[in-house]
Amino acid sequence: MAYDKLNLDGRIAVVIGGTSGIGRTLSLGLAEAGAHVVPSSRRKQEVDATAVEIEARGRRTLRATSDVLDRSSLEALRGNVLEAFGRVDILVNCAGRTQKKAAADVTDAEFQAVVETNLTGTFRACQIFGRTMLDQGKGRIINIASLSSFAALYQTAAYSASKAAVVSLTQTLAVEWGAKGVNVNAIAPGVFRTPLNQELLDGTERGKEFLMRTPMRRFGKTEELVGAAIFLASDAASFVNGEVIAVDGGFLASAVNQ
């Protein structure tokens, strides 16, 4: 008999920040695994484009923008999803921002802006969609952590602090909600080449150091994150709760690489 617990056929997934970069890849990957996917972000043009790609895979979707800084927009998104589908099975939190700047020079406003998006925004989405999942008695939440949740990266004080806190938030919600049928986990991506960071990775000493510290000696491809997301969203992960899966080519495991 075929093992079918990884099958997401008919599941309803919402991907916040799901229209570019890693979020877009996960939106399309969940759709290919069988889920109906609602990718949402601030930019309507990107929402529309990603929705077209999901529909091309034979899945249903919605075209709805949202902003993790605006609670009412997330509540409206939840309302739209419930009206169209009747439930929410999977939430993936991909919205984020970063800043590279010497810690001594970071202003209060700059620090708060990163934390507000990466941590508070993630909490807002978890809270709003989590309430629905708690009422349903079942749900899967997948947050996006970072290498810097566990290992310090040079001149990323606000980002690293926010992503370390995302792990703590994930574990806390897992403890509160696990007995009520809602599993909360996270993925910690390693270094993945995207159009936004390609110049950094390929043309700087920082990029060379990232590559040297990755035992597989290459950067990740965003599609290599999809398997972890499908697993955590599926019945195969029914007893996985409060965990962080690193998809990093061995970066966090490494010390001396040469």
Side-chain angles (χ1 to χ4, degrees), residues 18-20 23-28 31 37-41 43-57 61-63:
T19 64
S20 63
R24 174 181 170 277
T25 298
L26 295 184
S27 292
L28 300 181
V37 182
V38 178
S40 188
S41 67
R43 298 175 180 85
K44 187 176 188 304
Q45 184 176 358
E46 292 182 358
V47 170
D48 291 343
T50 307
V52 168
E53 294 187 84
I54 290 168
E55 289 168 340
R57 287 159 172 78
T61 187
L62 292 177
R63 290 159 171 79

Side-chain angles (χ1 to χ4, degrees), residues 134 137 139 171-184 238 241-242:
L134 291 169
Q171 294 168 335
T172 300
L173 295 181
V175 169
E176 286 196 34
W177 295 351
K180 300 174 183 178
V182 181
N183 297 41
V184 187
S238 58
N241 192 35

Side-chain angles (χ1 to χ4, degrees), residues 98-103 106 114 153-157 159 200 206:
T98 188
Q99 179 190 47
K100 182 177 183 292
K101 189 174 184 179
V106 175
V114 174
L153 303 181
Y154 185 67
Q155 293 188 338
T156 61
Y159 180 79
L200 167 69
R206 189 180 182 91

Side-chain angles (χ1 to χ4, degrees), residues 193-205 207-208:
R193 183 186 279 106
T194 69
L196 292 178
N197 69 11
Q198 182 171 335
E199 185 175 343
L200 167 69
L201 295 182
D202 295 339
T204 68
E205 292 303 311
K208 292 177 183 177

Side-chain angles (χ1 to χ4, degrees), residues 11 88-89 132-134 136-140 180-182 235:
R11 305 288 173 89
V88 180
D89 301 308
T132 296
M133 293 178 177
L134 291 169
Q136 295 169 170
K138 185 175 183 180
R140 299 283 191 270
K180 300 174 183 178
V182 181
D235 289 341

